Amino acid sequence: MQYSMGGLTGNTRNSHRLLAWAAAKHGLDRQNALAEELFKGYFTQERYINDRDFLLEAVEAAGLPRDEAAAILNTDGIGEQLVKEEIHKYPQVTGVPFFVVNGRYTLSGAQDPAIFAELFRNVLNHEAPAGDVAAPGAS
């Protein structure tokens, strides 16, 4: 697979809504097939991850019903409900990637491996600070 990172980046909420819908209504195999199509389009074909046409093409390629997916995108259906539940669980998450270690310590944004190593050492030694851990400059 040849990666190409020249495309637009954007909000992934609609793709997450479709993935949640695919799992809930059509099973994990179909969700996985949809994720593969989305990844292929985004990472190898420079497709815009929030383009409705691309999302619905990926749905069809994954063997899912386009009309149901379009309805999900048009309403606050099950996909939106599941995304909101995830957001509610972790209100401190404002960006990706976001890491939670031992259910207590968090790292937001891309981090240098040394930051992870330090956090893991501190957790293993029970010396981690009482509050959240964040790398300098991380939001």
Side-chain angles (χ1 to χ4, degrees):
M1 186 175 286
Q2 183 69 30
Y3 284 92
S4 180
M5 303 302 288
L8 295 173
T9 60
N11 190 317
T12 60
R13 187 178 195 119
N14 283 330
S15 59
H16 283 94
R17 292 173 62 203
L18 290 174
L19 288 164
W21 157 77
K25 295 295 183 180
H26 299 281
L28 296 178
D29 286 343
R30 291 298 92 211
Q31 181 194 44
N32 187 52
L34 177 56
E36 287 292 324
E37 291 299 325
L38 293 170
F39 292 153
K40 180 173 67 174
Y42 182 72
F43 289 114
T44 69
Q45 301 167 357
E46 299 184 3
R47 301 294 302 268
Y48 177 47
I49 196 65
N50 201 29
D51 177 69
R52 181 184 177 89
D53 290 335
F54 165 57
L55 294 173
L56 294 175
E57 288 170 21
V59 162
E60 283 185 316
L64 293 161
R66 183 184 181 107
D67 58 335
E68 285 183 32
I72 291 296
L73 294 175
N74 290 336
T75 64
D76 283 350
I78 187 168
E80 183 67 15
Q81 176 187 359
L82 293 172
V83 167
K84 285 180 179 178
E85 288 172 13
E86 284 298 308
I87 290 170
H88 182 71
K89 278 196 254 183
Y90 302 102
Q92 75 275 27
V93 176
T94 57
V96 292
F98 190 86
F99 305 93
V100 179
V101 178
N102 277 7
R104 180 175 177 191
Y105 306 102
T106 62
L107 290 171
S108 184
Q111 301 294 325
D112 187 275
I115 298 294
F116 285 101
E118 178 184 354
L119 174 60
F120 296 148
R121 274 192 303 276
N122 287 338
V123 169
L124 288 172
N125 294 326
H126 304 294
E127 296 174 7
D132 289 348
V133 175
S139 55

